[in-house]
Amino acid sequence: MSTDPNCIFCKIAAGQIPSRKVYEDEEILVFHDIHPWAPVHVLMVPKAHIPSMVEVGPEHAPLLGKMMALGPRLMRELGVSNGFRTIVNTGADGGQEVGHLHIHFIGGPRPWAKG
C-alpha cells in the first residue's frame, strides 16, 4: 500500500495524528471532521495514498464501491435518518483542500440550505 509521508490523511491513517475514529479496517479509515458543517460530518479515506479522483483507475473500483456502500451504513449508525450529503471534492478548482482522496458524509440539520 502506498503512502505519502507528508500527507496529513496518511499520517492519520497510520495513527501518527489522533482522530475521532468512526470505522477502520485494513483499507479504509472513517473519522469525524475537525471542522464539521453539520451535526454529523465524517471523512472516509482510503489508507492507500490516492491523491484525488483524477488518479482513480479501474483497479480502484472495488475499494470505491466498498466506500460508497459503507457510507450509508455508518450514517444510520451515527443516527442520521433524514438523508445526508456525499461529497468528493476533486482538485483545486473542485475545492479539494487535502491531496488525498476522501469522501465527506454530512448529515443532520442542513446549515447549507437557504432559509
Side-chain angles (χ1 to χ4, degrees), residues 10 24 42 48 53 55 58 67 71 74 109:
C10 287
E24 182 174 20
V42 297
M53 285 296 287
E55 287 81 10
M67 293 171 76
L74 295 178

Side-chain angles (χ1 to χ4, degrees), residues 3-14:
T3 61
D4 178 342
N6 298 313
C7 172
I8 191 167
F9 287 169
C10 287
K11 290 178 182 179
I12 291 170

Side-chain angles (χ1 to χ4, degrees), residues 83-99:
F84 57 91
R85 291 183 79 182
T86 305
I87 302 168
V88 180
N89 298 318
T90 304
D93 288 343
Q96 185 176 356
E97 295 178 0
V98 176

